[in-house]
Amino acid sequence: MNLTTDLRLQGIYIDASLQSLSDFLHQRQAQYSKFYILVDEHTHELCIPLLLSRVRALQSSEIIEMGAGEEYKSLQTATQIWETLIENFADRKTLILNLGGGVVTDLGGLVASLFKRGIDFVHIPTTLLGMIDAAIGGKTAVNVGGAKNMIGTFNPPQGVFISVDFLSTLNRRDLYSGFGELIKYGLIASKDLWQSIEKHELNENMELEWMIEECALIKSSIVSEDFYEKGKRKWLNFGHTAGHALEAFAMHGHIRTLMHGEAVALGMIIELQLSVQLLHFDPQCQQRIQHFILDNFDLYPIENKDFAKLIQWMKMDKKNQDSQVNFVLLSEVGVAHYDQKVEDQQILHALQYYASL
Ligand SMILES: NC(=O)c1ccc[n+]([C@@H]2O[C@H](COP(=O)([O-])OP(=O)(O)OC[C@H]3O[C@@H](n4cnc5c(N)ncnc54)[C@H](O)[C@@H]3O)[C@@H](O)[C@H]2O)c1
């Protein structure tokens, strides 16, 4: 893939000091009447001090706090925020700054997209998953009735400002959830990124800034060619069809829940096996990747009796057509293929393989 897209032209700034955000606010000061910073309870405590100490223009902003976690990514939370904005006479020149992980940026993006038919917003992602994925690409959403991302818009922010310094307070599990997506980017689009990840122990001291930049380039380049996910944007779903099924399975089970990126990492084991079965992906390479994933993520156990349920969840994926499951599969590292229709029998083989690990 040609990664020539200039991140800054796409409004994505990777800069630990957040000087780019100060410059952005300075350049546009006449354009905005007021700044509202949306946080969750954790980013309020852990990220606001760093943000305000680096971006002086934000010191007199209003802060709106929501609950932390996926259960708050709801229309109810959005409505509460709209009510707060209305009580404070927020006008169409208001700028919303979403400071948080994917939950805050997805919800804050939706709130801004619909408030008074749309006001400007920027994202300041504070989780690894947010920096490499959720904050980039202009998808906003809330969950409805337990179903994920059912109501949302495609609407890009005015800017995405990424400072790796926010990651210092992130707990290990949330960091690893981001690593699941990081591995995915290497496998779908960049052999160099994968080889570099493979050489490292996953932790906050690895070359994260470079890797975040690489992922942001990959995602923004794909999104710039296929904003509405009609074609190659689907590549980004590698690991997700099986991963979402494992995530739903874990949510209804009793062993433990799986975070999104953990489920994607395990989902990639199943989808790599399908890639070997259907697209002749090199089995030796598959084994190397699989070992790396299993060295870093705990396997979520499944048994024969669970297979039918898992396939049923895969069929519910909104990317399917008819009753066959559509996967993204790889023919080699860095070469992904979307809309790969797979028969139940072949999925069953891949699940048996995973269960035997
Ligand atoms: N829009 C998209 O394209 C897209 C892509 C991928 C994922 N998503 C969405 O992203 C969400 C998951 O995002 P996430 O993994 O960032 O979860 P999250 O936003 O729930 O954050 C995880 C936890 O980390 C805390 N946190 C955030 N930043 C912190 C920091 N710097 N220090 C300490 N704690 C911090 C949060 O309060 C939360 O408890 C899902 O809702 C998913 O649907 C959206």
Side-chain angles (χ1 to χ4, degrees), residues 180-181 184 238-240 243 259-269:
E181 293 284 358
K184 176 201 78 180
F238 178 60
H240 284 62
M259 297 198 64
H260 178 72
E262 293 171 334
V264 169
L266 300 177
M268 286 191 286
I269 294 181

Side-chain angles (χ1 to χ4, degrees), residues 4 29 32 35 47 56 83 86 110-111 113 144 157 242 268 354:
T4 52
Q29 57 188 340
Y32 298 121
F35 304 136
C47 303
R56 303 191 78 78
E83 283 168 0
I86 292 164
L110 179 91
V111 163
S113 298
V144 176
M268 286 191 286
Y354 173 90

Side-chain angles (χ1 to χ4, degrees), residues 34-324:
K34 191 153 183 166
F35 304 136
Y36 285 83
I37 308 175
L38 178 64
V39 289
D40 70 21
E41 57 202 271
H42 300 143
T43 60
H44 195 171
E45 183 194 337
L46 299 167
C47 303
I48 279 284
L50 181 74
L51 178 69
L52 297 188
S53 70
R54 300 215 175 146
V55 187
R56 303 191 78 78
L58 291 175
Q59 279 176 351
S60 57
S61 330
E62 293 287 335
I63 295 177
I64 302 181
E65 183 187 302
M66 59 179 277
E70 193 70 32
E71 66 270 33
Y72 290 96
K73 199 174 128 180
S74 65
L75 273 175
Q76 197 187 351
T77 309
T79 305
Q80 283 164 0
I81 299 169
W82 285 319
E83 283 168 0
T84 305
L85 291 172
I86 292 164
E87 280 159 20
N88 284 283
F89 306 104
D91 60 22
R92 294 182 88 177
K93 288 173 76 186
T94 297
L95 177 73
I96 298 192
L97 301 102
N98 300 308
L99 178 70
V103 166
V104 169
T105 54
D106 272 14
L107 181 124
L110 179 91
V111 163
S113 298
L114 298 179
F115 185 70
K116 302 203 170 179
R117 299 202 176 87
I119 57 172
D120 283 358
F121 63 102
V122 300
H123 290 327
I124 311 164
T126 60
T127 62
L128 180 57
L129 190 136
M131 293 176 190
I132 63 177
D133 197 355
I136 298 171
K139 279 188 188 174
T140 80
V142 290
N143 306 326
V144 176
K148 276 202 61 154
N149 301 333
M150 281 295 126
I151 304 290
T153 58
F154 280 97
N155 186 15
Q158 301 300 305
V160 180
F161 300 92
I162 298 174
S163 168
V164 284
D165 290 352
F166 287 119
L167 297 178
S168 64
T169 54
L170 200 61
N171 71 36
R172 191 186 142 85
R173 230 183 139 194
D174 285 314
L175 190 67
Y176 268 70
S177 182
F179 285 136
E181 293 284 358
L182 186 72
I183 295 169
K184 176 201 78 180
Y185 278 104
L187 296 183
I188 62 165
S190 167
K191 221 177 230 173
D192 284 354
L193 177 60
W194 162 245
Q195 284 168 349
S196 175
I197 296 169
E198 198 182 16
K199 273 195 235 127
H200 284 84
E201 228 173 86
L202 295 184
N203 60 43
E204 61 278 22
N205 301 320
M206 62 200 286
E207 300 160 29
L208 272 183
E209 193 154 343
W210 172 77
M211 291 186 183
I212 290 167
E213 188 169 335
E214 192 74 357
C215 293
L217 272 168
I218 293 170
K219 182 154 184 186
S220 63
S221 151
I222 292 174
V223 168
S224 68
E225 290 178 49
D226 179 24
F227 187 56
Y228 292 105
E229 200 171 317
K230 304 282 184 221
K232 59 173 67 166
R233 189 167 181 168
K234 296 179 190 174
W235 287 340
L236 296 163
N237 295 317
F238 178 60
H240 284 62
T241 307
H244 280 152
L246 286 172
E247 207 176 347
F249 178 70
M251 213 181 290
H252 293 83
H254 304 288
I255 304 173
R256 62 175 202 276
T257 55
L258 279 175
M259 297 198 64
H260 178 72
E262 293 171 334
V264 169
L266 300 177
M268 286 191 286
I269 294 181
I270 296 169
E271 295 184 14
L272 274 173
Q273 174 61 18
L274 285 171
S275 301
V276 171
Q277 288 169 207
L278 294 156
L279 296 187
H280 309 293
F281 188 88
D282 174 16
Q284 275 183 340
C285 185
Q286 172 209 20
Q287 290 302 312
R288 269 216 332 272
I289 299 167
Q290 187 179 298
H291 283 138
F292 184 82
I293 293 176
L294 292 177
D295 281 347
N296 286 287
F297 296 87
D298 292 332
L299 197 74
Y300 194 92
I302 57 170
E303 300 172 24
N304 281 16
K305 66 176 172 45
D306 307 321
F307 296 167
K309 191 80 205 159
L310 283 161
I311 293 178
Q312 201 183 324
W313 265 309
M314 290 180 199
K315 288 188 172 168
M316 279 190 229
D317 194 297
K318 56 182 177 295
K319 291 172 287 294
N320 292 324
Q321 278 159 358
D322 310 323
S323 65
Q324 265 186 325

